[in-house]
Amino acid sequence: MSIGKSVKRVDAFEKITGRAQYTDDIPLNDVLVAKVLHSTIANGLVKEIDIKEASKLPGVVKIVTCFDVPDITFPTSGHPLSLDIHHADIADRKLLNRRVRYYGDDIAAVIAKDDVTASRALNLIKVEYEEYKPLMSIDASLEEGSRPIHDNFPDNILTHSNYQIGDYEEAIKEEGLISFEGEYITPMVKHCHMEAPISYAYAESGRMVVVTSTQIPHIIRRIVGQALGIGWGKVRIVKPYIGGGFGDKQDALYEPLNAYLSKSVGGRCVKLDITREESFVNTRVRHAMKIKIKSYVRPNGRFVARKIKVYGNKGAYASHGHSITSKAGNACKQIYNDEKAIKGDMYSVFTNMPVAGAMRAYGIPQITFALESHIDEIARGLNLDLIEIRKLNMMKPDFEDNGIKCHSYGLLKCIEQGKKYIDWDNKIEEYKNQTGLVRKGVGMAIFSYATGVYPILLETASCRIVLNQDGTVQLQMGATEIGQGADTIFSQMVAEVLDIPTKNVHIISNQDTDVTPYDSGAYASRQSYVSGMAAKKAALLLKEKIIKHANFMLKLPLGNIDLKDSMIINKENGDILASLEEVATHAFYNTEKSVHITADITNQCKSNTFSFGVCFADVEVDMAIGKIKVNRVINVHDCGKVLNPDLAAAQVHGGMSMSLGYGLSEQLLFNEKTGKPLNNNLLDYKLPTVMDTPHLEAQFVDTYDVSGPFGNKALGEPPAIPVAPAVRNAVYHATGVNFNTLPLTPQRLVERFIKENLI
């Protein structure tokens, strides 16, 4: 049995020894180097680009400007293609842009013989702009009279959506209700994956080949075709090993431009890499959000009615469109339920800032910070137990919303497990009535998270398995391994169904759209759930074919044999009749009926379910200097059946670390007058290091979700959700000061403590 065991990662040896080949390790001949010229204004128009001096530089092969590229707009979002035009991704990007919409917009590119020459050429290019006032906030963009960032969105609102359940106006008339109102602000942050979004592009046999570090190779193929105006079949995407993505590479980044640059020099191989400084602002960021909540509750803390407004900062271009802000707003009615009514309004707003796209947990870290802060404020305002008020209002078993059903429910057990670890009751009592400048507190936050994107978007994934002559199998997934351990899980799944050792499943870790079966990609915590079902179905089909051939080989009637422990056995008494290797060899080489046993399956997933979890934090706050020390922190997750305990714990540790940075130190900063980024590097952008990270405790509540292939559900993104609000609530408990803006930086804390006359 393989499922439920801590099987070693199938890619561990290659990565540890350095043998794994990432995009930059692929040996290619006669490679040219491309570098992108970025705008030095945040809002305006390119009037003229002078490339005369740059073109004279020895080694410069070609310079392409925004005046040269095709007049084709295309979408960049890593969503499956929608045949419904009303749900299609917004096409608002060009390969290079004359209309500048953020500081760093792509306006030209140099192709040269080497990196140094390309960089020198960039410095020789002269640009004349028509400059407009930068709109560096949601409020500035929405201000009456503000210049449209996109002409077809005159009010700078990409989309406004809303919902209402029940009659809100009638519900709030109930006698004895108490109202609470709050505004919560979350920052723009960066993914900070190790590998930049590097690519190579070249022509081969009349087709364009792009080797790239991406989470979505099949979708990139389509977008490159759209951007270049060529048939999608004329594009081949190769994804080698990838050094992380966290959603940043769930977009077409520089692949379309690089393909065009290669085409512009006759199909020669062009390498387009970007610096760490560029990656901070020229790829994607997490949406900054402003969230307003007004709640009407009974004295016992029961929600009667709530009104939520969510404003998402889209930045300069649509990317994933309204989906992230919309998901945040809709989640309000899922983790907590109102007795009578709830009303939601969601706005995605264009600004002259870097483009916001997908980042681990897709809008839920932002809304969870707001909801979990708000419920703590209500509990303290009514003098209610912080846990009991959550139990009173939170999602219950069999809840269903928008086609997503709660099939399994371990949230109560998660809370009890985390509460015990943190010693909650004793700490609440111990930390009462503190004085002095150093104070301690405990806090908690719960969450729910849907698994995959059904029913909002198409969920489809394919798997191919081939039986080798020696009884091992070759496994090929369209789903992408991006460091999360997916290839190991898929191998375990196939091994489980076939009842063979995991080492006998040889998975092909890289994707090539010419030969790899289709899969939408790595996002939405979907792979073990959606792609995993494809792997299970393919393994079941392969097993059926193996047994059928074994019947033929052994001249036995159907139904009397089975495959167990790599052996064909008699179902009745367990006697071994033949080895899997013997059956495989016979299938290939017998002269009567040679057959290559394969299975190729597509799984269209038409189900979804909720994952749950909780974080508890114990902190110490030095109020004089605004320093927060996290003494103990734990995440407890209900992710259904835990498929591989060690990999699951690794996912949780990584997510907790990201959430700590989100809550305490990380924020992209900009000059408000010019839009220029101020800390787009790993020195000034305060990413937590190992020295800043406490012990991260990861625990699980094992449930079984009937909709998952092996009882499993989402785990990849959920760990990044609850830590920031749990720490915030612990600081609230310690100091009595209510912080509604992330991150909780020392400066922000000290300023507030001074204002409250606490120091």
Side-chain angles (χ1 to χ4, degrees):
M1 300 291 286
S2 181
I3 293 297
K5 293 183 178 179
S6 292
V7 173
K8 290 181 181 179
R9 288 184 62 126
V10 297
D11 55 0
F13 183 81
E14 298 301 309
K15 288 183 174 179
I16 289 171
T17 59
R19 292 183 181 180
Q21 286 197 322
Y22 296 82
T23 302
D24 204 23
D25 299 319
I26 306 297
L28 294 167
N29 297 322
D30 192 25
V31 178
L32 299 175
V33 173
K35 284 196 172 292
V36 179
L37 181 69
H38 305 291
S39 67
T40 54
I41 65 169
N43 194 10
L45 195 69
V46 177
K47 294 180 69 176
E48 185 179 351
I49 298 181
D50 183 351
I51 63 171
K52 289 193 282 294
E53 291 301 314
S55 298
K56 295 176 185 176
L57 193 66
V60 170
V61 177
K62 187 158 188 175
I63 299 175
V64 177
T65 75
C66 55
F67 299 100
D68 303 320
V69 297
D71 188 19
I72 298 174
T73 55
F74 56 92
T76 65
S77 167
H79 293 149
L81 180 71
S82 175
L83 298 178
D84 179 356
I85 59 171
H86 300 292
H87 289 90
D89 288 322
I90 294 169
D92 66 350
R93 296 301 290 266
K94 292 185 179 180
L95 294 168
L96 296 167
N97 302 295
R98 187 181 177 209
R99 174 65 168 91
V100 171
R101 296 183 172 94
Y102 72 102
Y103 195 107
D105 214 340
D106 306 330
I107 60 174
V110 172
I111 308 168
K113 290 187 176 181
D114 57 62
D115 188 87
V116 172
T117 303
S119 296
R120 289 178 63 199
L122 288 183
N123 293 328
L124 293 173
I125 297 174
K126 298 173 184 176
V127 184
E128 183 183 346
Y129 299 101
E130 180 180 319
E131 192 168 357
Y132 313 140
K133 178 185 176 182
L135 304 175
M136 297 301 294
S137 69
I138 290 170
D139 290 342
S141 281
L142 295 180
E143 193 175 298
E144 189 173 348
S146 290
R147 180 186 292 273
I149 294 171
H150 293 266
D151 291 341
N152 49 337
F153 297 100
D155 56 4
N156 285 325
I157 296 174
L158 170 66
T159 307
H160 167 223
S161 63
N162 57 67
Y163 64 84
Q164 182 164 324
I165 299 172
D167 188 331
Y168 177 81
E169 299 301 331
E170 186 62 32
I172 63 177
K173 293 177 182 177
E174 181 183 316
E175 287 189 14
L177 295 181
I178 305 159
S179 68
F180 291 86
E181 197 165 358
E183 180 174 293
Y184 309 90
I185 297 171
T186 63
M188 179 176 287
V189 296
K190 184 58 191 164
H191 310 71
C192 294
H193 41 75
M194 292 179 70
E195 182 192 29
I198 181 177
S199 65
Y200 291 91
Y202 58 92
E204 184 177 76
S205 302
R207 302 168 72 222
M208 185 56 61
V209 181
V210 183
V211 182
T212 179
S213 177
T214 180
Q215 300 174 218
I216 48 168
H218 284 278
I219 293 174
I220 292 294
R221 181 190 200 189
R222 181 252 300 172
I223 295 174
V224 168
Q226 290 174 314
L228 270 60
I230 61 176
W232 306 349
K234 291 185 176 181
V235 181
R236 175 188 171 203
I237 304 297
V238 178
K239 187 234 81 173
Y241 281 99
I242 178 171
F246 305 120
D248 193 27
K249 298 174 185 176
Q250 198 204 330
D251 256 66
L253 299 173
Y254 282 106
E255 294 92 349
L257 175 60
N258 200 15
Y260 176 78
L261 295 177
S262 172
K263 187 178 178 182
S264 73
V265 291
R268 292 181 65 182
C269 185
V270 176
K271 173 185 176 182
L272 202 169
D273 197 1
I274 63 174
T275 64
R276 178 62 66 179
E277 288 76 12
E278 287 175 290
S279 75
F280 266 93
V281 292
N282 298 116
T283 56
R284 301 293 178 266
V285 294
R286 176 179 276 167
H287 290 66
M289 288 190 184
K290 181 169 70 172
I291 300 163
K292 299 179 180 181
I293 306 177
K294 188 168 187 178
S295 299
Y296 288 85
V297 303
R298 298 191 182 110
N300 69 347
R302 181 68 177 107
F303 293 165
V304 173
R306 284 179 299 159
K307 180 166 62 176
I308 294 104
K309 283 189 176 181
V310 182
Y311 296 87
N313 189 331
K314 278 305 312 167
Y317 294 96
S319 181
H320 282 238
H322 186 54
S323 58
I324 295 168
T325 306
S326 175
K327 184 172 182 177
N330 277 281
C332 293
K333 56 185 164 63
Q334 294 172 351
I335 187 59
Y336 292 117
N337 308 142
D338 301 79
E339 189 169 285
K340 290 187 177 181
I342 184 168
K343 190 176 183 179
D345 281 282
M346 293 80 76
Y347 300 82
S348 288
V349 182
F350 285 117
T351 64
N352 293 125
M353 297 185 79
V355 184
M359 184 174 173
R360 199 172 187 176
Y362 214 76
I364 304 304
Q366 297 97 309
I367 198 65
T368 300
F369 171 72
L371 291 174
E372 291 304 286
S373 299
H374 189 66
I375 198 168
D376 256 38
E377 292 159 28
I378 294 171
R380 295 186 189 282
L382 298 175
N383 197 27
L384 296 174
D385 185 277
L386 295 166
I387 292 179
E388 294 307 315
I389 190 175
R390 286 174 166 85
K391 289 181 179 178
L392 183 64
N393 292 288
M394 69 192 190
M395 187 194 300
K396 303 298 188 293
D398 298 323
F399 171 84
E400 188 169 354
D401 179 55
N402 194 30
I404 308 173
K405 187 172 182 179
C406 177
H407 293 289
S408 57
Y409 188 81
L411 183 52
L412 286 170
K413 289 184 178 179
C414 288
I415 292 172
E416 291 309 309
Q417 209 162 297
K419 178 182 175 182
K420 181 180 178 182
Y421 176 86
I422 214 75
D423 195 19
W424 177 267
D425 291 336
N426 289 330
K427 296 293 185 184
I428 289 287
E429 188 64 30
E430 180 186 341
Y431 296 160
K432 272 185 179 179
N433 305 318
Q434 295 179 79
T435 58
L437 291 177
V438 178
R439 301 184 189 179
K440 297 179 180 180
V442 287
M444 62 150 332
I446 65 171
F447 72 88
S448 69
Y449 193 77
T451 305
V453 298
Y454 179 84
I456 304 301
L457 293 170
L458 172 71
E459 273 289 18
T460 182
S462 300
C463 171
R464 180 182 300 127
I465 311 176
V466 177
L467 180 65
N468 295 323
Q469 293 95 321
D470 61 355
T472 64
V473 298
Q474 213 71 30
L475 172 60
Q476 196 168 29
M477 302 291 300
T480 51
E481 168 67 67
I482 62 171
Q484 79 279 46
D487 283 354
T488 304
I489 293 298
F490 296 142
S491 300
Q492 287 182 251
M493 288 176 167
V494 170
E496 181 81 7
V497 173
L498 298 178
D499 203 7
I500 62 176
T502 306
K503 66 179 182 179
N504 286 356
V505 179
H506 305 303
I507 189 165
I508 301 170
S509 288
N510 302 333
Q511 279 70 41
D512 181 336
T513 56
D514 271 9
V515 295
T516 304
Y518 181 89
D519 191 290
S520 299
Y523 57 83
S525 301
R526 63 181 290 279
Q527 289 196 296
S528 65
Y529 186 79
V530 179
S531 306
M533 187 64 82
K536 181 179 181 180
K537 287 179 177 179
L540 286 169
L541 178 58
L542 190 80
K543 181 177 180 179
E544 180 184 322
K545 290 183 175 183
I546 290 169
I547 290 174
K548 184 178 179 181
H549 188 81
N551 276 289
F552 164 73
M553 184 182 90
L554 298 169
K555 310 302 180 188
L556 294 172
L558 292 172
N560 291 338
I561 63 174
D562 200 2
L563 176 58
K564 188 172 179 62
D565 197 20
S566 300
M567 297 291 173
I568 302 297
I569 63 164
N570 183 321
K571 265 188 179 180
E572 297 300 318
N573 57 26
D575 287 350
I576 295 174
L577 305 176
S579 69
L580 179 56
E581 182 176 359
E582 289 172 325
V583 174
T585 305
H586 183 271
F588 271 90
Y589 299 116
N590 80 91
T591 56
E592 184 179 354
K593 186 184 176 183
S594 174
V595 58
H596 302 167
I597 300 177
T598 66
D600 202 328
I601 286 285
T602 296
N603 173 51
Q604 184 178 355
C605 179
K606 294 187 177 181
S607 63
N608 206 329
T609 190
F610 290 103
S611 233
F612 300 98
V614 63
C615 177
F616 283 85
D618 180 352
V619 308
E620 186 177 296
V621 185
D622 187 329
M623 299 167 68
I625 59 173
K627 181 176 174 60
I628 299 170
K629 179 185 176 185
V630 180
N631 293 319
R632 301 180 84 195
V633 61
I634 181 175
N635 269 24
V636 188
H637 288 266
D638 163 23
C639 57
K641 173 68 177 175
V642 177
L643 302 176
N644 184 315
D646 282 355
L647 280 182
Q651 283 280 31
V652 176
H653 291 162
M656 292 176 75
S657 178
M658 290 186 81
S659 195
L660 277 172
Y662 188 52
L664 295 177
S665 60
E666 293 183 46
Q667 182 173 13
L668 274 168
L669 301 172
F670 301 86
N671 183 312
E672 292 295 317
K673 293 182 179 179
T674 65
K676 184 177 181 179
L678 301 175
N679 64 335
N680 56 322
N681 60 78
L682 289 176
L683 176 63
D684 299 314
Y685 181 83
K686 298 305 178 184
L687 195 71
T689 70
V690 67
M691 300 299 290
D692 305 305
T693 306
H695 169 72
L696 302 172
E697 180 71 16
Q699 294 184 14
F700 301 91
V701 168
D702 215 12
T703 61
Y704 190 92
D705 198 290
V706 294
S707 66
F710 292 92
N712 56 292
K713 52 186 182 180
L715 180 63
E717 294 165 286
I721 298 171
V723 180
V727 170
R728 177 268 182 199
N729 288 341
V731 173
Y732 185 20
H733 177 228
T735 65
V737 179
N738 183 7
F739 292 93
N740 288 351
T741 300
L742 288 180
L744 303 176
T745 58
Q747 180 182 354
R748 185 165 283 151
L749 266 64
V750 169
E751 287 175 353
R752 184 69 184 279
F753 292 146
I754 292 172
K755 185 178 180 181
E756 301 288 335
N757 295 315
L758 293 173
I759 57 174

